[in-house]
Amino acid sequence: MQINISEIKNKVGASLEFEFEEKIDKIEYKKETLRFTEPIKVMGRATNLGKKIYLVEGNIRASLEDNCYRCLEITPVLLDLNFSFRFGENIKSSLEEPYLDENGNEIFPIIGENIDLDLLIENEIILNYPTKILCSPDCKGICEKCGKNLNEGDCSCKRGAIDPRLSALEKFYNR
């Protein structure tokens, strides 16, 4: 996903609308795999702020699927994320380690006349991905003994088994 800024390069205050749709199957991160079910949609605006600095603001929409944290059923995940990045010409930095200006703003480099959003979009998705996906807020999970999905009905396993390390407390409560 690259934005060519040649149209706005010499016009301070000028902006350029962009829209991308890119098919990505998955993103691997720390032994986890994010699986996409539809192309990622990115739209926004690039603005020339002057002094060879460009502001890129926009929105990312992505549809993924993951396993429910409690019952392990495949569950759809919809992400709708806003982003704002600054890019600069002749900046001695990289996309992994941006330059920090005097106000603490991260400024990413421009390569030629193109702003490359690929790595930054991927990072936004990873950083904003929910830590626990639930198929529904009242998901019952799975039985710890037989593994049955308790959302589909109860199992015949005996409930209320006490951890053997806490068995002394059971005697206290049964008095």
Side-chain angles (χ1 to χ4, degrees):
M1 289 178 254
Q2 295 196 355
I3 304 167
N4 185 305
I5 57 165
S6 59
E7 287 181 35
I8 62 171
K9 192 170 183 174
N10 297 317
K11 301 173 194 163
V12 175
S15 61
L16 173 70
E17 302 276 332
F18 62 87
E19 190 169 330
F20 299 107
E21 192 168 305
E22 188 166 318
K23 182 167 177 28
I24 297 175
D25 293 325
K26 62 185 177 179
I27 294 176
E28 303 275 340
Y29 178 72
K30 288 190 175 184
K31 299 181 183 178
E32 293 287 328
T33 301
L34 305 181
R35 298 179 306 269
F36 294 86
T37 57
E38 294 178 15
I40 295 174
K41 296 178 179 109
V42 179
M43 61 187 83
R45 174 189 311 252
T47 305
N48 182 341
L49 299 178
K51 298 183 182 178
K52 299 184 179 187
I53 303 294
Y54 300 85
L55 176 64
V56 178
E57 297 176 302
N59 180 268
I60 305 164
R61 290 198 179 140
S63 296
L64 302 93
E65 62 182 15
D66 205 343
N67 294 41
C68 174
Y69 182 75
R70 293 181 188 157
C71 70
L72 304 178
E73 289 293 319
I74 292 178
T75 304
V77 179
L78 302 174
L79 296 178
D80 189 3
L81 311 170
N82 293 319
F83 64 87
S84 179
F85 305 120
R86 289 176 186 258
F87 290 84
E89 296 179 52
N90 306 323
I91 298 293
K92 305 262 188 285
S93 68
S94 69
L95 290 173
E96 291 84 15
E97 292 185 36
Y99 169 78
L100 290 176
D101 69 6
E102 61 276 355
N103 297 322
N105 295 316
E106 292 180 326
I107 301 179
F108 298 95
I110 295 174
I111 298 142
E113 291 190 337
N114 292 316
I115 292 176
D116 186 2
L117 294 176
D118 288 338
L119 182 61
L120 298 174
I121 297 298
E122 185 175 310
N123 285 345
E124 285 298 304
I125 290 170
I126 291 169
L127 289 171
N128 290 286
Y129 197 74
T131 54
K132 293 183 180 177
I133 307 298
L134 294 177
C135 61
S136 70
D138 57 344
C139 176
K140 296 176 183 175
I142 57 175
C143 174
E144 61 188 51
K145 293 188 180 194
C146 70
K148 179 177 175 156
N149 184 341
L150 298 175
N151 295 317
E152 297 170 356
D154 289 331
C155 62
S156 57
C157 296
K158 182 181 174 188
R159 298 257 192 270
I162 295 182
D163 184 326
R165 296 171 292 180
L166 302 174
S167 60
L169 291 175
E170 182 179 29
K171 295 174 189 168
F172 175 75
Y173 282 108
N174 290 335
R175 286 185 185 174

